[in-house]
Amino acid sequence: MAQFFEIHSQDPQPRLIRRSVNILLQGGVIVYPTDSSYALGCRIGDKPALERMRSIRNLDHQHNFTLVCRDLSEITTYARIDNQAFRLLKRLTPGPYTFIYQATKQVPRRLLHPRRKTIGIRVPDNVICRTLLAELGQPILSTTLMLPADDRPLTDPYEMRTLLDREVELVIDGGFCGLEPTTVVDMAQEPPLVLRQGKGDASRFDRE
């Protein structure tokens, strides 16, 4: 049975944040809020938890997961970023963007695009999410919480608890956080290519 934590969206309770992180460290899959929608997450490198997330969403092994990071310094551990790209990211993070970059050797091979060796990364502008990441001290491996029969993410934490009670270890109720997906930008090519227009303003890439 999944645990259910009601965490304040602007002033997260430290006790509940610590308990949430302990669940991740013990191999749990959690549901948590971001600045675009709710997401499924697990600890990076946790293969059994990764496979459970694939099962929940009925994803094949070509699906690209995202590393949700707490800040720019953490991003540079997992993605190859030059000075120009760093300046761009500094302006756009935290925010509702997913950036595709060439991965470093710190990223497990099973998480990479099979041909291009790239990884998706993002820094959400959500207080609960960033507090979790700060306590965890490493990225959360994530995918949008959208079930196989649905065409948009789940938004009601109580419905999530009902549907996923036996599939995840924790559902965090952080209030409504939206339905619109992130804007996805492929930064592994020049010039950067917007792969999906979402919540983040993509027009600025026309000027880069």
Side-chain angles (χ1 to χ4, degrees):
M1 179 178 292
Q3 297 189 65
F4 188 82
F5 296 166
E6 294 182 347
I7 297 183
H8 195 280
S9 62
Q10 297 302 313
D11 188 19
Q13 303 93 313
R15 176 180 60 87
L16 294 181
I17 292 295
R18 289 192 296 269
R19 289 177 62 187
S20 301
V21 167
N22 285 336
I23 289 171
L24 284 169
L25 293 174
Q26 292 168 12
V29 173
I30 71 170
V31 173
Y32 71 102
T34 74
D35 55 354
S36 59
S37 66
Y38 276 86
L40 290 166
C42 71
R43 184 172 58 86
I44 186 173
D46 191 330
K47 185 177 180 180
L50 167 64
E51 294 306 320
R52 288 201 286 133
M53 291 200 302
R54 288 191 199 277
S55 177
I56 291 168
R57 287 203 51 193
N58 192 27
L59 299 171
D60 62 30
H61 285 266
Q62 300 300 312
H63 178 80
N64 290 320
F65 287 82
T66 298
L67 294 183
V68 175
C69 300
R70 57 182 168 173
D71 54 29
L72 284 179
S73 63
E74 191 166 72
I75 285 178
T76 58
T77 301
Y78 299 95
R80 301 184 187 280
I81 300 176
D82 60 24
N83 289 336
Q84 181 178 358
F86 187 88
R87 289 193 294 270
L88 175 62
L89 288 184
K90 192 171 181 179
R91 295 199 298 273
L92 298 181
T93 59
Y97 296 89
T98 299
F99 300 101
I100 310 298
Y101 278 103
Q102 292 291 322
T104 69
K105 293 182 179 180
Q106 300 299 317
V107 181
R109 291 184 62 185
R110 62 179 169 271
L111 303 183
L112 303 179
H113 185 284
R115 295 185 302 278
R116 300 179 63 210
K117 309 304 180 188
T118 53
I119 187 69
I121 56 173
R122 66 175 303 229
V123 181
D125 188 12
N126 177 279
V127 175
I128 293 174
C129 179
R130 297 179 71 188
T131 307
L132 282 172
L133 291 164
E135 179 71 22
L136 181 62
Q138 58 182 278
I140 298 176
L141 180 65
S142 297
T143 185
T144 301
L145 178 52
M146 187 163 60
L147 299 185
D150 297 339
D151 58 4
R152 61 181 189 171
L154 296 175
T155 60
D156 182 352
Y158 289 93
E159 182 184 16
M160 298 171 199
R161 179 171 62 173
T162 298
L163 294 174
L164 300 173
D165 186 53
R166 298 182 181 276
E167 306 292 334
V168 303
E169 280 67 40
L170 170 64
V171 174
I172 293 175
D173 179 359
F176 181 75
C177 61
L179 277 171
E180 194 172 3
T182 60
T183 293
V184 179
V185 186
D186 188 346
M187 302 291 289
Q189 60 176 307
E190 185 61 41
L193 177 64
V194 176
L195 302 179
R196 180 181 72 195
Q197 171 65 70
K199 189 174 181 180
D201 180 10
S203 65
R204 63 188 62 203
F205 292 95
D206 297 334
R207 301 191 294 270
E208 297 299 332

